[in-house]
Amino acid sequence: MSLTRRIAHNTIIQVAGKAISIALGLATIAMMTRYLGKVGFGQYTTITAFLQVFTIFVDMGLALMMVQMISKPNVVASPEGEIRESRLPNGVITESKLVSNFISLRFISILIFLALAPLIAIFIPSYSQVIKIGIAITAVSFFFGALIQVLMGVFQKHLHMERVAIAELVGRLFLVGFTVLAIFMQWSLYAFLGAMILGGAINFLCLFYFSRRFVKIRFQIDLAVWKSILKQCWPIALSIAFNLVYFKADTIILSLTRSQAEVGIYGATYRVLEIAIVFPIMFINLVLPFLTRSWANKNLDKFKNILQKSFDFLVIAAVPMVIAALFLGTRVMTLVAGQQFEASGLVLKFLIIATAIIFIGNLFGHIIVAIDKQKQMLKYYILTAIIGLIGYLILIPKYSYFGAAGMTIVAEVIIALAAFLIVWRTTKVAPKFMIFWKSLLASLIMAVPLYFLRGWNLFLLIAISGIIYFTTLYSIKGFSKEMIKEVVKLKS
């Protein structure tokens, strides 16, 4: 089976699973926003954003670095029970041992940092007792989420992401079920936070069970391996720490300077966009091992081909998403979150631009890891953190969520451009923009029914616009029949 088909099949399987998970996720958001209201959902957003700060700090790039390290030629993919470390040549390590040390390192680090979160929250006077207690409860959910992130690398390498999709789907079902129960019983915000813990725990247990086919994981502290991991991770760790400033500082500053109702409006939009970002990240994570191998093997033609196809795929998805949101943003948010979140539709029209930039920026950010140039990105993360923090502190108190959204766009542009320049300087490879212009033309044609038929049923309008977009794109050779055949062909 060709590389394109292997990646495509895994992507399709994930998309199918993710489509169901996303539907369940949107259903959960819809129930929560309507039941909790702007203030209650604002408290929920503040709690999760506060904990995400600690999770990102302790991330250290472990999830991303593990995919890169276990994809290298010196890692033996056989289960540890079949190979003894003592019989391996110098510099060669089993995948099981490497993964075990990654998981153990993440376990200890996340345990320490998440224990600090409730203690720090106690001393923030603007946070209510509900938020402080909620942070202590929800920390357990983020503990499972942090372990899941690292464990996913095993399935990314072996291109068996269908197991990840199944585990996530099972976790989502428990989350939705408990959410419905909480609403029926008219429980408080704490019950919804408990539902997050249950869903995360089920997801992790399923994923851990599935991983046994590829690796044998046990708690392991090998200081030599930890030293090697940390030596390679520290540039990513610092980059993520500074990345945190512009990525999550907006919600934190909003929660400290504006009302919880405004946090709820901004948070509802962010929740929808976090779902939209899932697909490109999922796709790029599948591509990363092949980018790493082709670069390590000095196969520049293959590297260039994978980069170009990945860029084209992301552009085809991102451009119509932006155009559609400009026309349908308010209707989408009121459908998802309810009429009282109508203002979220205006915020969506700003943040959708940042989301499209993230689509492309994530690709070049992952390539940075594949070509081992993380250190060069550090200065740009520092610069963006400084500009972002100053911008948030000036704009959010004055312009609320619009200031936050506008500054987020600026920050994402800086990071995406920096990553692109480093990739180009290192590899001398840059994507061609032919598909971008074709996608833009098809999206503008798609905009015609979005404008003139804007009073129609939302789902019907989306379906018509999608048909027009892909038909137009195909007719102007934005994608070919051969490409479709290669993706859907089941035989090697």
Side-chain angles (χ1 to χ4, degrees), residues 102-152:
F102 265 102
I103 293 289
S104 301
L105 178 57
R106 167 53 66 88
F107 181 92
I108 293 175
S109 59
I110 196 67
L111 192 64
I112 293 171
F113 271 78
L114 285 182
L116 291 174
L119 298 177
I120 294 175
I122 292 174
F123 299 100
I124 300 179
S126 60
Y127 283 179
S128 66
Q129 193 70 14
V130 171
I131 292 176
K132 294 175 181 179
I133 295 175
I135 288 172
I137 295 173
T138 316
V140 180
S141 171
F142 278 76
F143 175 79
F144 288 117
L147 295 177
I148 289 169
Q149 277 186 325
V150 176
L151 200 53
M152 281 176 59

Side-chain angles (χ1 to χ4, degrees), residues 38-68:
K38 289 186 288 187
V39 174
F41 195 76
Q43 292 172 332
Y44 169 82
T45 301
T46 299
I47 291 167
T48 53
F50 186 83
L51 286 167
Q52 282 173 340
V53 169
F54 288 85
T55 305
I56 294 173
F57 261 124
V58 79
D59 179 84
M60 298 188 297
L62 290 177
L64 197 58
M65 185 54 63
M66 193 181 84
V67 177
Q68 187 205 40

Side-chain angles (χ1 to χ4, degrees), residues 66-224:
M66 193 181 84
V67 177
Q68 187 205 40
M69 290 183 70
I70 65 177
S71 300
K72 289 183 176 180
N74 67 315
V75 178
V76 181
S78 299
E80 195 168 322
E82 300 177 13
I83 297 178
R84 293 183 181 179
E85 291 289 336
S86 59
R87 296 179 181 175
L88 295 173
N90 289 335
V92 178
I93 187 173
T94 63
E95 186 177 343
S96 293
K97 182 175 181 179
L98 190 57
V99 172
S100 294
N101 278 275
F102 265 102
I103 293 289
S104 301
L105 178 57
R106 167 53 66 88
F107 181 92
I108 293 175
S109 59
I110 196 67
L111 192 64
I112 293 171
F113 271 78
L114 285 182
L116 291 174
L119 298 177
I120 294 175
I122 292 174
F123 299 100
I124 300 179
S126 60
Y127 283 179
S128 66
Q129 193 70 14
V130 171
I131 292 176
K132 294 175 181 179
I133 295 175
I135 288 172
I137 295 173
T138 316
V140 180
S141 171
F142 278 76
F143 175 79
F144 288 117
L147 295 177
I148 289 169
Q149 277 186 325
V150 176
L151 200 53
M152 281 176 59
V154 174
F155 303 95
Q156 290 168 20
K157 178 197 171 180
H158 293 281
L159 287 180
H160 276 286
M161 294 298 287
E162 75 281 356
R163 289 167 170 79
V164 175
I166 293 170
E168 182 180 2
L169 180 59
V170 174
R172 287 277 189 184
L173 287 171
F174 274 92
L175 172 62
V176 171
F178 202 84
T179 299
V180 171
L181 178 63
I183 293 174
F184 179 77
M185 300 297 294
Q186 296 189 337
W187 288 337
S188 68
L189 172 64
Y190 301 137
F192 295 93
L193 303 178
M196 289 179 59
I197 296 174
L198 179 63
I202 296 297
N203 189 345
F204 170 74
L205 291 174
C206 290
L207 210 57
F208 185 83
Y209 174 79
F210 291 147
S211 70
R212 297 191 303 173
R213 174 180 173 182
F214 309 104
V215 292
K216 293 184 177 180
I217 301 174
R218 66 175 187 269
F219 192 82
Q220 190 171 26
I221 301 177
D222 187 315
L223 295 181

Side-chain angles (χ1 to χ4, degrees), residues 1-6 9 485-492:
M1 185 180 290
S2 73
L3 175 59
T4 300
R5 273 182 273 129
R6 289 178 66 193
H9 288 165
K485 286 181 178 179
E486 185 177 12
V487 168
V488 301
K489 189 177 179 182
L490 296 179
K491 294 182 179 180
S492 60

Side-chain angles (χ1 to χ4, degrees), residues 19 24 109 150 251 285 312 337 354 485:
L24 295 173
S109 59
V150 176
T251 305
N285 282 336
D312 292 344
K485 286 181 178 179

Side-chain angles (χ1 to χ4, degrees), residues 404-425:
M407 199 61 226
T408 298
I409 295 174
V410 173
E412 295 299 343
V413 168
I414 295 173
I415 289 299
L417 286 175
F420 167 76
L421 289 173
I422 291 175
V423 170
W424 182 79
R425 284 202 301 259

Side-chain angles (χ1 to χ4, degrees), residues 235-256:
I236 299 180
L238 284 178
S239 297
I240 289 173
F242 287 107
N243 181 32
L244 162 72
V245 174
Y246 77 84
F247 188 67
K248 280 299 170 187
D250 52 354
T251 305
I252 297 298
I253 294 174
L254 191 66
S255 71
L256 294 172

